């Protein structure tokens, strides 16, 4: 690890300690300042492979991702409550400080997805939708204007907040369903979706993530698409990494690592028509991101996965 990477990990560790010592992760000036610095540290494109870090740093990273997930949930709950104070909360989504990031991420995901669908998806599932389901709302309002969106979350309170958020728009509410279920207990219903989106924080631990992916591979319909959020480089201190090789039972179609303020990487994969595949299949086009990083390859395996520059995507 070079000097730049060592300094980065040291500062991230210090911030992790500071966050751990906070009395609460609910939105406050101190919480906001620490997480803002953390995000700004992790956004720059730095060729750091978190898999190769020491066990001590790995443990810190796992702890930090859990803290980020808890803080994100509290932030979304807070703003969901703020938004539902309006007659139509959907008219005021820009109050959420990261709304523009959701717009960009949803555009990226749909642009990648649209290259592999013959017709617009009719039924879509979002696993891990939370109390402020901005991804589903943006997809429904801007990209999938006729689709039904089924949102899955373990937390009944989160789903109650999410329902209130869309109630002010009857047409949107009619297209949105909220299910308080563990996706691992959902079987037959998964066969009814053309596309399944997997939120980054569903399955924080690697084994948990693999368990979810394997379950989706077993129960999604042949030909259905999976859109899985991941993280790359220093951004993997904020969210779990999904390796293409982790998507057993799917054919990996494309991988995209943003280089802007959109934090999550995106993987689009398809369940083969023949059923459960033996393993993930990578596309073969060289990756411009890897070339730019002078040999630092996606996910630290030296494989040349496809990476599509955002400016090349259809609008």
């Amino acid at each position: 690890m070079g000097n730049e990477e060592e300094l980065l990990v040291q500062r991230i560790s210090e911030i992790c300690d500071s966050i751990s010592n906070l009395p609460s992760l609910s939105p406050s000036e101190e919480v906001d300042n620490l997480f803002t610095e953390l995000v700004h540290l992790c956004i720059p494109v730095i060729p750091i492979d978190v898999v190769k870090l020491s066990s001590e740093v790995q443990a810190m990273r796992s702890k930090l991702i859990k803290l980020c997930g808890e803080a994100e949930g509290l932030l979304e709950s807070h703003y969901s409550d703020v938004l539902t104070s309006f007659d139509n909360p959907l008219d005021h989504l820009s109050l959420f400080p990261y709304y523009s990031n959701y717009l960009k991420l949803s555009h990226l995901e749909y642009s990648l997805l649209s290259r592999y669908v013959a017709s617009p998806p009719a039924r879509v599932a979002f696993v891990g939708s939370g109390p402020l389901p901005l991804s589903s709302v943006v997809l429904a309002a801007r990209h999938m204007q006729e689709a039904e969106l089924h949102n899955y979350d373990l937390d009944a309170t989160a789903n109650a907040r999410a329902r209130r958020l869309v109630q002010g728009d009857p047409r949107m509410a009619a297209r949105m369903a909220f299910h308080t279920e563990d996706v691992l207990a959902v079987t037959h219903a998964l066969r009814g979706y053309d596309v399944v989106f997997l939120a980054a924080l569903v399955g924080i631990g690697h084994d948990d993530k693999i368990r979810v992916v394997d379950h989706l591979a077993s129960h999604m319909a042949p030909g259905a698409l999976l859109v899985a959020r991941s993280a790359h480089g220093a951004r993997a201190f904020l969210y779990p990494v999904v390796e293409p090789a982790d998507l057993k039972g799917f054919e990996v179609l494309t991988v995209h690592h943003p280089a802007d303020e959109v934090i999550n990487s995106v993987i689009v994969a398809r369940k083969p028509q023949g059923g459960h595949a033996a393993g993930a299949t990578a596309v073969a086009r060289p990756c411009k991101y890897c070339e730019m990083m002078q040999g630092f390859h996606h996910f630290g395996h030296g494989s040349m996965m496809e990476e599509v520059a955002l400016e090349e995507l259809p609008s």
Side-chain angles (χ1 to χ4, degrees), residues 240-271:
V241 172
V242 179
E243 302 267 10
D246 293 335
L247 300 182
K248 291 181 172 61
F250 292 95
E251 174 194 3
V252 175
L253 302 172
T254 190
V255 177
H256 181 86
H257 299 304
D260 58 10
E261 67 271 22
V262 175
I263 293 172
N264 288 122
S265 300
V266 178
I267 304 176
V268 180
R270 178 186 284 119
K271 181 172 177 178

Side-chain angles (χ1 to χ4, degrees), residues 3-22:
N3 187 57
E4 182 183 14
E5 290 78 20
E6 288 180 359
L7 291 173
L8 174 67
V9 170
Q10 179 181 340
R11 182 56 190 147
I12 290 174
S13 297
E14 292 169 354
I15 293 175
C16 181
D17 289 340
S18 297
I19 293 172
S20 299
N21 291 326
L22 291 172

Side-chain angles (χ1 to χ4, degrees), residues 62-257:
S62 296
K63 179 181 179 180
L64 183 57
I65 290 173
K66 291 177 182 177
L67 291 169
C68 288
E70 182 182 347
E72 185 174 305
L74 291 168
L75 181 69
E76 290 186 0
S77 293
H78 170 76
Y79 275 95
S80 188
D81 292 342
V82 169
L83 289 166
T84 52
S85 67
F86 296 96
D87 290 337
N88 189 355
L90 301 186
D91 291 338
H92 304 277
L93 295 179
S94 60
L95 291 175
F96 185 66
Y98 301 107
Y99 178 57
S100 62
N101 288 34
Y102 278 90
L103 292 177
K104 292 177 181 179
L105 177 57
S106 295
H107 172 257
L108 168 63
E109 289 175 325
Y110 186 73
S111 297
L112 292 170
L113 180 68
S114 65
R115 298 165 58 199
Y116 303 103
V117 293
S119 58
R123 299 186 81 247
V124 176
F126 196 97
V127 180
S129 47
L132 188 64
L134 287 178
S135 294
S136 290
V137 168
V138 171
L139 286 167
R142 293 173 175 249
H143 305 296
M144 300 178 177
Q145 297 175 343
E146 303 299 326
E148 296 178 15
L149 281 95
H150 291 253
N151 300 278
Y152 289 86
D153 200 282
L154 286 168
D155 188 342
T157 303
N159 276 334
R161 282 188 164 101
R163 287 190 190 95
R164 288 197 296 270
L165 196 73
V166 301
Q167 281 176 349
D169 185 330
R171 187 171 183 276
M172 178 70 77
R175 296 167 52 213
M176 286 277 191
F178 296 93
H179 307 277
T180 304
E181 291 185 77
D182 184 341
V183 71
L184 294 176
V186 181
T187 55
H188 179 72
L190 288 172
R191 294 187 65 83
Y193 301 121
D194 304 309
V195 181
V196 175
F197 287 81
L198 182 60
L201 290 172
V202 174
I204 291 180
H206 183 259
D207 290 345
D208 294 331
K209 183 77 74 174
I210 295 299
R211 194 174 299 115
V212 172
V213 169
D214 287 348
H215 182 79
L216 295 175
S218 295
H219 296 286
M220 285 171 58
L225 293 170
L226 174 67
V227 181
R229 292 178 179 174
S230 180
H232 186 61
R235 300 169 189 219
F237 284 100
L238 306 175
Y239 290 103
V241 172
V242 179
E243 302 267 10
D246 293 335
L247 300 182
K248 291 181 172 61
F250 292 95
E251 174 194 3
V252 175
L253 302 172
T254 190
V255 177
H256 181 86
H257 299 304

